[in-house]
Amino acid sequence: MEPNYKAEQMASIDTTNMCRHLQRKLFAEDGEYRAIREQIENDPTLAAVVRSRQLHIYRDGKKILVLAGKSAPKIIRDDRLSELLNG
C-alpha cells in the first residue's frame, strides 16, 4: 500500500527514525495528528524531536506531548496543542 503523503511535506520534521504508523498520522491528508504537525510547522515556540520512534514535542524548551504510532498520545503538560488531539 502506497503512503498517502508527499515527501516534500515531511521536510520540516525529520522522519528518519519515526514509526511508519506515526508518519501516516502526521502527514496523511486525513491523519489524526495533521493539525498538530501544522501547528509545529507554523509556531516558532514549538519544537519536535524524534526519539525511540516517537515524536516528542516541546514548547519553549519544556516537553508537553509525546506522540506514538500505535499507542495513545502522552500529555506531559497542559497546553493548547493537546486540545487538537480531541478534534
Side-chain angles (χ1 to χ4, degrees), residues 55-70:
L55 190 66
H56 295 243
I57 303 170
Y58 299 82
R59 182 179 300 281
D60 297 323
K62 295 182 181 181
K63 189 185 296 187
I64 57 170
L65 186 63
V66 178
L67 301 177
K70 289 187 175 180

Side-chain angles (χ1 to χ4, degrees), residues 2-22:
E2 195 64 29
N4 191 20
Y5 51 85
K6 297 179 176 113
E8 62 269 11
Q9 291 176 311
M10 300 183 338
S12 63
I13 298 175
D14 182 12
T15 60
T16 306
N17 294 314
M18 186 184 293
C19 166
R20 277 283 190 222
H21 292 90
L22 181 55

Side-chain angles (χ1 to χ4, degrees), residues 13 22 26 33 36-37 39-40 45-51 54-68 73-74 76-77 79 81-82 85:
I13 298 175
L22 181 55
L26 285 167
Y33 298 153
I36 291 174
R37 176 187 50 87
Q39 283 294 315
I40 292 168
T45 65
L46 292 172
V49 178
V50 176
R51 291 198 178 109
Q54 301 174 335
L55 190 66
H56 295 243
I57 303 170
Y58 299 82
R59 182 179 300 281
D60 297 323
K62 295 182 181 181
K63 189 185 296 187
I64 57 170
L65 186 63
V66 178
L67 301 177
K74 296 174 192 137
I76 308 298
R77 297 182 195 280
D79 189 87
L81 189 66
S82 56
L85 291 171

